[in-house]
Amino acid sequence: MIPITVVKVDDAAKALVNEVLDSGSLAQGRMVERLEGLVADMAGTRHAVAVGNGTLSLVAALQALGLEAGDELVTSPFTFVASVNAALLVGAKVRFADIEPDTFTLDPAKLAAVVNERTKVVMPVHLYGQMADLDGIEAALAGTEVHILEDAAQAHGATLGDRRAGSVLGSFSFYATKNVSTGEGGAVTTDDDKLADRLRLLRNQGMRRRYEYEIVGFNYRMTDLQAAIGIPQMERLGEINATRAANAARLSEGLADVEGVTPPIVAPGRGHVFHQYTVRITPDAAVSRDEAVDRLIERGIGCGIYYPRAAYDYDCYRSHPGVVIESCPEAERAAAQTLSLPVHPHLTESQLDEIVATVTDVVRGR
Ligand SMILES: *Cc1c(COP(=O)(O)O)cnc(C)c1O
């Protein structure tokens, strides 16, 4: 079986974890600070504030922006559900704007119909490692006070022209399978000194100094043990992403002329970091998308469906008073047609060729 993800903790991480264990201080400390420095460098921001996971980084960022009950947030319906849950947790109303069919990211042209005077945040998702069209989103929001929060959970190091993921206001995840992993972890990136200060207070029960509560906060802290695992990966991020991109290029070259499969499309100017390598199985294929997944797994090619439905298309959201549903046909079509193939940095060339050959056979009905 060629697995869709492989998690390996290298010797450098083990050494740092042991350093933390030997130090006797296991909670947030020096390692978290080191990781934050690397994350800020990646995003090109003055600040990175590390937290316990990526969902919490969305929650903390939304709270730092002052989002509260009655405010509205617009996001992509084609995402991991954390994007929606974070907004609902802070009491916001969630609306969805449909995606661009090529990049699977929020379509700026769809914003006008859903942004209104109660909209406080638009949250594009840099899905699969490709940034959403931030320039287009900013243009669509020009003249409004709406904040942009980038859900960059899948986009460590992704770029758009000379802009970097997380440079506006970013939320990253270091979940076990993300391009950089600490098991569980997350971070918010920002250039805004006041916002960063607020995030640090929110993270630590609202305390600037011990038992001096300035605001109502919570415990969003990351531990030094988590940070230690991520530091060596952050230091090698360029190499990790380059290997993913090279793997993606080999897959796309092999699948370019195969009828029934559309390889991922990278929009001009976007630097894709291939958290996922996601293809469409089109109606020209001899099998349905779901059949293709079954056949691939039978033949030892790990694959996954990210995501099988639009985020609103579940009973718990359809019946939720905080979710406004207007159907998004491109998101629904993507959810019905896509599947993701292994692209992780531990693949060999022969495994990549085996993936291409097997996908080709399967969509031809062989
Ligand atoms: C992984 C992910 C999150 C949440 O991160 P966790 O660390 O799992 O809490 C949020 N949004 C997207 C798009 C993700 O892929």
Side-chain angles (χ1 to χ4, degrees):
M1 187 78 183
I2 303 175
I4 185 135
T5 51
V6 172
V7 179
K8 283 191 183 162
V9 178
D10 64 12
D11 290 342
K14 287 176 188 166
L16 283 182
V17 169
N18 274 323
E19 216 179 282
V20 176
L21 291 173
D22 292 340
S23 77
S25 30
L26 309 185
Q28 181 189 306
R30 214 166 44 83
M31 290 292 176
V32 168
E33 230 171 88
R34 252 176 90 180
L35 182 74
E36 287 177 337
L38 292 162
V39 174
D41 286 349
M42 166 186 73
T45 53
R46 290 164 49 77
H47 306 279
V49 179
V51 296
N53 63 59
T55 311
L56 286 180
S57 72
L58 291 171
V59 170
L62 293 174
Q63 287 177 332
L65 289 172
L67 196 74
E68 52 191 39
D71 292 334
E72 293 193 6
L73 172 145
V74 176
T75 191
S76 164
F78 195 50
T79 182
F80 181 56
V81 74
S83 322
V84 181
N85 289 342
L88 292 176
L89 189 78
V90 302
K93 184 164 267 191
V94 179
R95 291 180 191 271
F96 297 98
D98 208 352
I99 56 169
E100 301 172 340
D102 284 356
T103 65
F104 305 113
T105 60
L106 192 73
D107 184 346
K110 302 286 164 53
L111 280 173
V114 283
V115 170
N116 62 47
E117 64 285 353
R118 283 182 301 279
T119 309
K120 195 145 184 185
V121 175
V122 167
M123 185 162 74
V125 181
H126 300 328
L127 200 73
Y128 304 145
Q130 176 161 221
M131 281 179 71
D133 179 5
L134 277 187
D135 297 332
I137 292 166
E138 283 172 347
L141 297 175
T144 73
E145 303 273 280
V146 176
H147 299 283
I148 294 173
L149 168 59
E150 307 165 67
D151 184 341
Q154 304 185 1
H156 314 73
T159 55
L160 171 76
D162 56 10
R163 310 185 71 176
R164 305 198 206 165
S167 58
V168 174
L169 170 61
S171 169
F172 290 89
S173 165
F174 306 112
Y175 178 67
T177 57
K178 299 286 158 78
N179 285 23
V180 174
S181 146
T182 61
E184 297 275 7
V188 183
T189 53
T190 178
D191 261 336
D192 183 328
D193 297 347
K194 282 211 180 96
L195 201 72
D197 183 60
R198 209 173 142 73
L199 284 161
R200 293 194 179 100
L201 288 176
L202 283 167
R203 169 174 70 177
N204 195 29
Q205 312 285 9
M207 293 191 284
R208 191 174 304 282
R209 277 171 296 277
R210 188 166 293 219
Y211 312 131
E212 287 178 19
Y213 311 116
E214 272 189 35
I215 57 173
V216 178
F218 208 72
N219 177 357
Y220 295 139
R221 295 185 303 265
M222 177 188 267
T223 67
D224 265 13
L225 282 168
Q226 288 163 278
I229 301 170
I231 287 167
Q233 294 169 64
M234 284 300 305
E235 289 172 342
R236 285 191 296 108
L237 181 62
E239 192 190 310
I240 292 170
N241 285 344
T243 307
R244 286 179 174 271
N247 290 349
R250 194 172 176 112
L251 293 171
S252 289
E253 199 184 305
L255 295 171
D257 300 320
V258 180
E259 222 177 302
V261 194
T262 311
I265 296 166
V266 182
R270 300 195 210 183
H272 197 316
V273 296
F274 289 98
H275 171 58
Q276 298 292 353
Y277 181 90
T278 304
V279 302
R280 275 184 203 267
I281 304 299
T282 67
D284 300 332
V287 292
S288 72
R289 188 276 310 269
D290 288 349
E291 284 166 341
V293 169
D294 291 345
R295 303 272 158 80
L296 286 167
I297 288 172
E298 273 163 30
R299 297 206 201 175
I301 308 295
C303 60
I305 300 175
Y306 311 110
Y307 297 90
R309 295 196 203 179
Y312 55 76
D313 193 15
Y314 294 84
D315 288 345
C316 59
Y317 297 107
R318 287 199 175 278
S319 62
H320 196 293
V323 179
V324 181
I325 296 177
E326 273 173 70
S327 78
C328 296
E330 289 300 343
E332 290 180 17
R333 202 162 64 89
Q337 291 189 334
T338 52
L339 67 81
S340 300
L341 297 165
V343 74
H344 58 78
H346 306 288
L347 293 165
T348 63
E349 289 192 351
S350 70
Q351 285 178 318
L352 289 161
D353 294 343
E354 188 184 335
I355 294 166
V356 168
T358 312
V359 171
T360 303
D361 273 0
V362 163
V363 298
R364 289 180 178 159
R366 292 203 296 252

